[in-house]
Amino acid sequence: MTRKIPGGHQDADARGATGRRLGIVVSVAILTTLSVLLFGPSGIGVRRDALESLGTSGIRDGAPSDAPSPTRSIGGPILFDSERAADVELSELGRVTRAVFVDDGAVFVDRARVMFVDLDAERVRKVPRAGEGPGEILALLPSVSRVPEGLIVWDDRLRRASSFTQSGELRQAMALRSVDRRQGFIGALDDSSFVFANGPPFDSMPEGTARHSREVRVVSSNGTSRLVAVVPSREYDHVRDPPMYPLRLVPVIFGHTTHLAVSRGRIVVADTAEDSVVVYSRRGDIVARIPMPPRRRVASDRQIAHIRDSLRADWDGRPELPPPFVKPPTPQYDARPGPLPPIDAVKVDANGRIWIRAHLMPGDAKQRWTVWDGERQAFSVEMSVREVLMDADGDRALVRTANELGVHRVAVRTLRPIG
């Protein structure tokens, strides 16, 4: 059964002329590259120094302070620290985009490297890169997803899913030619089928602010595709700037978005404009609903200006494009008025628990997550804004931090009760 999340809009099926289509593709490709570096899960990303430097005087915080469930913090003894590891591959990590627990340790994705790490012995087994043999990856930002037998690595350039054991040995590689390049990999289910969601369409878009329909599909290893849900995309400003850039998509500051995650045999859909997070089965049936936190926070003018200035500085600092392309003008970065979206991140941990983060704002000293086991709220977690939650398993958490040079460090910490 196919369900549609309220809030999506049907897209026109018109096709533009060949020249206009080429301009859109070029513009979209540039936007996609920049968005990987610039935009985060909250609809529009903000550099972590921007979150830390504003202070609390610009905050208007109406978020509830009382916790409806036991609250924990990330602290206690450090069970593993990549910076202190004897192996150079671990002690000199670059930019870690993903880190997950597996039964025999953990897996780190550092740029184009995928590393299976024995956390006790600190041994590393790397997935081959281009030209290094079976199981090689070409993608600069490969995606990984945990499955019962080990790990699935999705290579967006090759359109290929490679299955590995818990220790990093290649099991098989599956080319999914039926999956086009507009479909983004969300994760793998426990039956090793795959979840994809297409990006917003670029054939016919009006100017102004809008959200568009995205199809969430389950794709089997033989390429068979099944529609699970139709959800609204991130909130974009559509800017026309001909002739070189007939269309640019600029995410709206504090705009609504839909977060997607995979939990074993479940697909988690969190549209920030709705009152609940919806959990689907692989067939498209709704199996659980989790209430959204109330929308009580409102951004101050100072916070909006601070974020806009940070984003503009990031955009202007990007390298110039090679001829014949020119870098698009700096976006205006419009902000959505009214209460903020209630959440800005959703994760699923090694135990299938769903982690939902209350919207993080400049000046916040802590970030707050609520953790759900099915429709039951298990506990809440408070942690520093300097830490990035990567995964959790029982009372262990994988967190990432960065030094002043931007070099990443991954640690395993414990969750302990507060008070």
Side-chain angles (χ1 to χ4, degrees):
M1 181 183 299
T2 300
R3 310 261 183 182
K4 181 171 182 179
I5 300 290
H9 303 286
Q10 195 64 34
D11 301 302
D13 200 29
R15 296 293 187 266
T18 301
R20 176 172 172 269
R21 189 191 304 267
L22 177 60
I24 292 175
V25 168
V26 170
S27 182
V28 167
I30 293 169
L31 174 71
T32 302
T33 301
L34 289 171
S35 67
V36 168
L37 300 173
L38 181 61
F39 303 122
S42 60
I44 189 165
V46 185
R47 294 180 304 180
R48 195 152 299 276
D49 58 355
L51 287 173
E52 297 167 0
S53 62
L54 184 59
T56 57
S57 60
I59 299 292
R60 286 192 284 158
D61 185 359
S65 58
D66 55 328
S69 60
T71 303
R72 303 179 185 180
S73 66
I74 295 179
I78 298 177
L79 307 178
F80 169 83
D81 186 347
S82 66
E83 193 173 62
R84 299 175 186 173
D87 193 304
V88 175
E89 294 279 0
L90 293 176
S91 62
E92 297 182 359
L93 293 173
R95 184 178 180 84
V96 178
T97 59
R98 189 87 163 92
V100 298
F101 284 114
V102 292
D103 288 347
D104 294 334
V107 176
F108 300 164
V109 180
D110 173 13
R111 296 187 297 269
R113 297 186 300 177
V114 179
M115 297 175 284
F116 287 77
V117 182
D118 184 325
L119 296 176
D120 295 326
E122 295 185 359
R123 288 192 299 266
V124 179
R125 181 169 189 160
K126 293 181 292 181
V127 171
R129 288 189 282 184
E132 295 181 352
E136 67 180 5
I137 55 173
L138 299 182
L140 294 177
L141 294 171
S143 300
V144 299
S145 185
R146 186 176 30 233
V147 290
E149 63 272 16
L151 199 79
I152 296 290
V153 177
W154 172 252
D155 189 321
D156 191 62
R157 287 187 63 185
L158 294 174
R159 315 306 291 170
R160 185 172 71 187
S162 298
S163 173
F164 293 86
T165 65
Q166 297 278 352
S167 59
E169 296 177 353
L170 177 66
R171 298 178 66 250
Q172 62 177 325
M174 297 157 282
L176 299 179
R177 304 302 182 192
S178 63
V179 178
D180 65 45
R181 296 191 178 277
R182 276 188 52 214
Q183 292 180 287
F185 180 77
I186 305 301
L189 299 172
D190 52 6
D191 63 352
S192 293
S193 57
F194 314 104
V195 180
F196 290 88
N198 63 338
F202 300 108
D203 287 15
S204 178
M205 286 184 177
E207 288 190 88
T209 301
R211 302 179 73 188
H212 298 274
S213 296
R214 300 184 67 192
E215 291 184 347
V216 180
R217 290 184 171 273
V218 172
V219 180
S220 65
S221 57
N222 63 10
T224 304
S225 176
R226 182 175 63 257
L227 179 65
V228 171
V230 179
V231 303
S233 71
R234 176 181 292 181
E235 195 168 1
Y236 289 104
D237 278 335
H238 302 75
V239 181
R240 298 198 179 277
D241 185 26
M244 181 62 73
Y245 299 99
L247 177 66
R248 288 190 289 136
L249 301 182
V250 181
V252 177
I253 298 176
F254 304 133
H256 283 298
T257 190
T258 300
H259 303 281
L260 300 171
V262 172
S263 170
R264 299 180 178 176
R266 302 289 184 260
I267 302 165
V268 181
V269 176
D271 178 4
T272 59
E274 297 299 317
D275 295 329
S276 61
V277 176
V278 182
V279 183
Y280 289 88
S281 71
R282 61 173 58 87
R283 296 188 305 273
D285 302 316
I286 295 177
V287 296
R289 290 184 182 272
I290 299 171
M292 282 278 191
R295 300 182 184 92
R296 296 180 180 176
R297 304 191 78 181
V298 178
S300 68
D301 292 341
R302 185 181 176 207
Q303 286 174 312
I304 293 173
H306 184 79
I307 293 174
R308 184 180 284 122
D309 290 345
S310 175
L311 292 169
R312 285 173 175 168
D314 261 3
W315 182 283
D316 293 337
R318 300 300 174 193
E320 295 293 330
L321 297 170
F325 306 115
V326 295
K327 187 163 69 173
T330 304
Q332 294 301 309
Y333 294 115
D334 291 333
R336 196 183 66 81
L340 300 177
I343 65 174
D344 64 6
V346 173
K347 291 182 178 292
V348 176
D349 68 15
N351 307 127
R353 299 173 301 192
I354 300 170
W355 292 59
I356 301 173
R357 187 173 74 176
H359 205 293
L360 189 63
M361 290 288 291
D364 285 351
K366 294 181 180 179
Q367 51 182 307
R368 185 180 183 84
W369 296 80
T370 53
V371 184
W372 296 79
D373 187 356
E375 293 183 317
R376 179 183 68 87
Q377 184 173 335
F379 53 89
S380 300
V381 175
E382 291 181 353
M383 55 189 295
S384 167
V385 296
R386 296 179 180 273
E387 297 175 315
V388 178
L389 176 69
M390 307 300 283
D391 196 12
D393 182 13
D395 61 356
R396 300 182 303 160
L398 263 174
V399 295
R400 187 194 74 199
T401 57
N403 62 21
E404 61 277 4
L405 300 177
V407 177
H408 287 178
R409 167 187 182 184
V410 178
V412 178
R413 308 291 301 274
T414 55
L415 297 173
R416 60 180 184 179
I418 293 180

